[in-house]
Amino acid sequence: MKPIQLFDPASSTYTYVLFDQVTRDALIIDPVDEQIERDLAVLHEYGLKLVWTVETHAHADHITSAGQLAELAGARTAAPQGCGIGTAGMQLQHGDTLPFGGERLLALHTPGHTAGSMSYVWHDHVFTGDTLLINGCGRTDFQSGSASDLYRSLTEVLFALPDATTVWPGHDYQGRTHSTIGQEKKGNARVAGKSEAEFVAIMEALQLPKPRRIDEAVPANLSSGLRHDVDGALLLQPRPVAAAHQGSYAGDVSPQLAWQWVQAGEAVLVDVRSDAEREWVGFVPGAVPVAWKQWPGMTMNPAFDQQLGGVAQGKKLVLLCRSGVRSIAAAKRATELGFEAYNILEGFEGDPDAHAHRGLKGGWRHHGLPWRQN
């Protein structure tokens, strides 16, 4: 079992596709936005269903396509918790695993290149991002880098793996595709046989130029590749209330912006769907359930005002329903009660497609934001 290794010449970035041979469920590691058509074609060629996009860190030399793949392929997004990628649906910690079919990807926290950097183990393969390169390692002079942390990540975490483990790096600038842990332990020019002090001295003496795209790439990658241009800005700012409801609540927000506010502690997510919907369809971990109407009969919840009163704690309220309709009514009522309330566009399930099926056209789940099912 080997990964599919793909290459972006512009940034010398390797992207990896892993899949379960039975279910055809797949994940992709470090996808590049300029290669999205290629990656979608590879998924189609192999008959794969993409269930996860995974980042090793917030990249400075290219922009990820994770957000686009969540939209176009229905994948969920995952990233290291320490990287500040607030739009990622799964915030990974050391030891977490991502399931795809009957397979599992194991996350290892390997800080140093950045504080949140992670490597990932799959069978006898390790995907090291910019932490361990072939005969080298990632730089440590920007983006919360630390040469001492990187030394410990290399020598205590990655070099603790079996020598035969295949190393799949995030980059290579000389056409090399892979190595092994044993080879790097023995011959890596920067770390093999070096003390921590020697390694730190080597890293401090590199004097590398600033990455060409860092000012563009890092802000975009902190939002799963949603650029801060016209289209990206629309996703990450509130929208005025449409004329029919003008002035009746604070505004409309995209699911991505709502989640960003919640992650930053600026807002409380209130799920106004019925208890039955949350039980049957799925729920957002941490969301506060305050039904606008209840099943059966979809009758008004007489305790709505009282239940909402104990929720806000001085924060904005972002209200989620199935499709972004009931949450408008709930946002209007919350505003009347004195809260700063926003409607989440598209809702949990999004709009119906041509066959009246939801979950495929927009919505919280479709964008790869956190949710679970009982």
Side-chain angles (χ1 to χ4, degrees), residues 40 43 49-53 66-77 359-360 365-369 371:
L40 289 171
L43 294 171
K49 176 186 177 184
L50 190 67
V51 295
W52 292 106
T53 70
Q68 297 181 67
L69 288 169
E71 178 70 25
L72 297 174
R76 297 180 67 190
T77 52
L360 300 174
R365 292 187 310 182
H366 189 63
H367 289 300
L369 296 171
W371 71 283

Side-chain angles (χ1 to χ4, degrees), residues 304-306 308-309 330-339:
F304 180 83
D305 292 1
Q306 180 182 359
L308 198 65
K332 290 170 65 176
R333 180 55 185 160
T335 302
E336 292 172 358
L337 295 172
F339 301 111

